[in-house]
Amino acid sequence: MMVRDYECDIEGIVNNANYLHYTEHTRHLFLKACGLSFAEMHRKGVDAVVARMNLKFKTPLRCDDEFISRLNVRKDGLKYVFTQDIFRASDEKLCFHGDIDIVCLVNGRLASSDEYDKALFPES
């Protein structure tokens, strides 16, 4: 992905809130690649929501920087723990690290989702 000028603050660096947009977009693309439609799951009454975030801002991105967004996911009880890193493409310098806990609400109640489990961990 590439940093757009309106994502930067007066200091000329990406505003910290935009990293959350980058990581969310990455998670949605990942789910789509796993065969899950976020919208379709919602229609079925299953909503994956952020429960907790632990964020570390390391090296700022600037306007027009290209970056690489990577993720890993593991299951811990009812939550899915996404470890996400963003690297500046030009030198692969770590810019952002986040541990993001996602939980599923099934018909409004905290619960496990067989659809998410099968899509994210097909070998299990």
Side-chain angles (χ1 to χ4, degrees):
M1 291 185 263
M2 180 178 277
V3 173
R4 294 160 291 219
D5 60 344
Y6 64 84
E7 296 170 330
C8 297
D9 58 24
I10 198 164
E11 298 167 334
I13 60 176
V14 171
N15 180 278
N16 58 6
N18 286 305
Y19 290 92
L20 304 181
H21 294 286
Y22 301 155
T23 58
E24 182 174 33
H25 186 63
T26 300
R27 288 192 307 277
H28 285 209
L29 291 175
F30 175 72
L31 292 173
K32 187 175 180 180
C34 290
L36 283 175
S37 163
F38 206 69
E40 180 60 29
M41 292 303 294
H42 173 72
R43 285 190 283 279
K44 291 180 178 182
V46 180
D47 294 304
V49 297
V50 172
R52 185 181 69 83
M53 295 179 159
N54 182 8
L55 311 174
K56 296 177 185 170
F57 300 92
K58 306 300 270 181
T59 301
L61 287 168
R62 299 183 179 280
C63 187
D64 295 333
D65 276 348
E66 290 185 13
F67 62 91
I68 302 160
S69 183
R70 296 184 178 133
L71 70 76
N72 189 15
V73 63
R74 66 181 168 82
K75 184 100 187 258
D76 182 12
L78 288 178
K79 67 185 174 185
Y80 302 95
V81 180
F82 284 83
T83 300
Q84 296 189 243
D85 294 303
I86 294 176
F87 299 88
R88 188 171 48 213
S90 63
D91 58 4
E92 297 233 359
K93 186 124 181 154
L94 179 64
C95 298
F96 171 89
H97 173 84
D99 293 306
I100 297 124
D101 294 348
I102 305 291
V103 296
C104 286
L105 301 177
V106 179
N107 298 317
R109 302 189 76 136
L110 182 63
S112 187
S113 167
D114 289 338
E115 292 98 332
Y116 273 90
D117 288 346
K118 288 176 186 170
L120 296 176
F121 310 105
E123 62 280 347
S124 296

